[in-house]
Amino acid sequence: MARARRWHPGQESDELVFSVCDRFLRQLGSQFESQGNGGDKDKERKGAAAAVAEWLKEYYGRDDLTRERIYPLFWEAVRRNFLFLQAPRERRLAERLAEQYHLASTEDDSGIHVVNANAQDAARHVTSATADLVLDLVDRVIERRKAETKPGDAPPSVHIGMGAGFATMMVAKRLAERVRSDLDCPPLVLHALSAGGFLVNEPQKAPITYFSYFEDTFPKVEYVALFTETVVSLKEDYERVKRGPGVRRSFERRSEIDIIVTSLAAANHEHGLLVKFLTHLIEEGVLKADVLEQMYAAGWKGDVQFRPYTDTGPLIEECPVRAVTLFELDEMVELARTDGKYVVLLAGPCGECGNPKVEALRPLVANPDLRLWTHLVTDVQTAQALAVIADRE
């Protein structure tokens, strides 16, 4: 006798899985509203699952999908990225920072987004909030261009520059998930801001690897890669590399970028890519052992796209290598001051270890000459620490 195949939620269609999730949440919400806050929540949850099971039996003819099987279908919806949670924002704390650091208001308040999430999950929710913000900015870019678009013209593309690092990688994942489920999303073009990687076992932190997340999206996403070494040693080498056939065109097209997405790294943090790279060169005997100490002595606080800075400005002479990146720090500052251009800076805790980056972030908030962002996304703990520093000063 043939053995019956075991049921698994992964066997069900997208339509059914989504319908179960949608029906369950609406049923649960209506029960909560009708019974108030004094009811038995576990009983209400079970009642909602039973009601969905009855609906499935009537609408789909599926009497095998019992109340107990509703919950696996719900988690299957999570696995298929049908559900998107968005952490709440702390607007008052954002306003406090804007006042303390004398940040001018923009079309989006002060441009500061403070995500209120548990400290252990803050890094993940900061990246999710950043991806959602980027889509909002995509809509703004399109809205600005409506006046320039004539009837019958193809819809304009929005160009997004993606930086290197773990945090931006997580943003790219969420962004691809959102784009995949957004039928109204305009055509996108992704630019790699830098080569962004040198560790053979960590290719996922290089911007060009993010492109694969968007392969099955619609409309089709286009790409502008940057095929070059991550850093070079001398200024002469940098100018030579920029003229190369695999790099020159990428630099020529940087003016097309509407939105930049980048994170920052702390100077004394082991997971920062620039710190890792310099440490690697020291271990290989390419650089002297005291290079890092010299940079710390010069006031090194952090880096954005492998370009280090102090409290007062970019750290140039003391850094022995030059990153190949589409924008220098001062160019990003200028871009952030340009109408219709946006620079989104992720400034949550490290996504790998959870350590905050307060000391690295402070110069980018406090010093107008380093304010290379239009929108800053951070977490409550980091924002509170910045507020305390401002109060002390």
Side-chain angles (χ1 to χ4, degrees):
M1 183 176 181
R3 184 178 179 181
R5 187 174 66 170
R6 183 180 178 183
W7 178 83
H8 189 276
Q11 302 166 357
E12 304 296 347
S13 67
D14 284 351
E15 178 196 359
L16 187 141
V17 172
F18 178 79
S19 297
V20 165
C21 188
D22 179 55
R23 194 85 178 183
F24 179 85
L25 291 175
R26 288 193 287 120
Q27 183 72 31
L28 196 61
S30 63
Q31 288 184 2
F32 282 173
E33 289 178 5
S34 62
Q35 296 181 20
N37 295 324
D40 185 336
K41 296 298 186 290
D42 187 56
K43 184 177 180 181
E44 292 171 1
R45 178 172 56 83
K46 292 179 180 178
V52 173
E54 280 297 315
W55 175 77
L56 284 169
K57 181 178 180 180
E58 177 184 349
Y59 190 79
Y60 282 92
R62 295 290 299 274
D63 54 3
D64 61 313
L65 295 180
T66 61
R67 173 175 64 81
E68 289 77 11
R69 288 186 172 182
I70 298 304
Y71 307 117
L73 285 168
F74 196 91
W75 292 116
E76 179 66 15
V78 174
R79 189 187 70 81
R80 298 187 192 185
N81 297 315
F82 294 167
L83 295 175
F84 293 99
L85 291 177
Q86 188 176 70
R89 289 175 56 184
E90 284 291 335
R91 297 183 183 275
R92 290 185 179 180
L93 184 52
E95 292 170 359
R96 178 183 173 189
L97 287 177
E99 182 178 349
Q100 289 175 315
Y101 287 97
H102 310 292
L103 301 173
S105 297
T106 65
E107 56 186 309
D108 182 40
D109 302 320
S110 63
I112 300 178
H113 294 237
V114 180
V115 177
N116 190 350
N118 181 279
Q120 292 182 335
D121 300 319
R124 179 167 55 88
H125 287 296
V126 165
T127 58
S128 295
T130 301
D132 297 342
L133 170 62
V134 169
L135 282 182
D136 290 341
L137 296 178
V138 167
D139 290 338
R140 290 190 193 179
V141 172
I142 292 298
E143 198 64 31
R144 279 175 171 268
R145 290 181 178 162
K146 279 185 176 179
E148 306 169 5
T149 305
K150 299 178 182 178
D153 287 350
S157 297
V158 178
H159 294 248
I160 303 175
M162 304 294 293
F166 186 86
T168 317
M169 176 196 72
M170 296 300 294
V171 172
K173 281 186 175 181
R174 167 85 170 204
L175 188 61
E177 292 166 358
R178 289 289 311 275
V179 169
R180 194 173 291 112
S181 61
D182 185 358
L183 297 179
D184 295 324
C185 185
L188 301 179
V189 181
L190 302 183
H191 296 244
L193 294 182
S194 66
F198 69 94
L199 297 173
V200 296
N201 61 329
E202 295 184 358
Q204 72 276 16
K205 296 180 181 179
I208 193 171
T209 64
Y210 311 161
F211 295 168
S212 63
Y213 302 149
F214 297 83
E215 275 302 295
D216 59 348
T217 58
F218 183 84
K220 194 71 173 176
V221 174
E222 298 179 17
Y223 315 112
V224 181
L226 183 60
F227 293 110
T228 178
E229 53 262 58
T230 304
V231 299
V232 294
S233 299
L234 301 173
K235 182 178 180 180
E236 292 77 12
D237 291 335
Y238 183 67
E239 296 303 323
R240 173 183 55 78
V241 167
K242 285 174 62 177
R243 291 193 299 269
V247 180
R248 177 175 54 83
R249 183 57 177 153
S250 299
F251 272 84
E252 289 174 349
R253 296 191 62 182
R254 68 176 187 164
S255 61
E256 301 174 7
I257 296 176
D258 303 295
I259 304 166
I260 283 180
V261 184
T262 184
S263 60
L264 74 158
N268 58 355
H269 187 217
E270 63 178 348
H271 291 132
L273 291 181
L274 181 57
V275 173
K276 281 187 174 184
F277 187 71
L278 294 175
T279 302
H280 171 74
L281 294 181
I282 291 171
E283 292 173 349
E284 292 291 316
V286 178
L287 297 178
K288 295 181 179 180
D290 62 349
V291 164
L292 292 175
E293 286 73 16
Q294 290 179 5
M295 292 178 65
Y296 293 137
W300 181 25
K301 290 296 173 64
D303 70 272
V304 173
Q305 294 309 306
F306 301 94
R307 303 304 289 142
Y309 56 85
T310 67
D311 284 328
T312 57
L315 184 66
I316 299 175
E317 298 300 328
E318 290 80 2
C319 186
V321 296
R322 176 80 175 260
V324 181
T325 180
L326 296 187
F327 298 95
E328 296 296 317
L329 296 181
D330 58 343
E331 293 174 326
M332 292 180 69
V333 172
E334 187 62 30
L335 195 71
R337 295 172 179 173
T338 304
D339 288 341
K341 300 287 186 178
Y342 304 100
V343 182
V344 181
L345 177 68
L346 292 91
C350 173
E352 297 178 75
C353 67
N355 286 337
K357 306 175 185 177
V358 180
E359 291 301 320
L361 175 59
R362 184 188 168 280
L364 304 182
V365 177
N367 186 349
D369 292 333
L370 280 173
R371 204 164 292 153
L372 46 74
W373 50 271
T374 59
H375 293 79
L376 169 68
V377 187
T378 189
D379 61 295
V380 166
Q381 288 76 17
T382 299
Q384 289 174 336
L386 279 177
V388 169
I389 292 173
D391 287 336
R392 290 174 180 173
E393 296 174 343

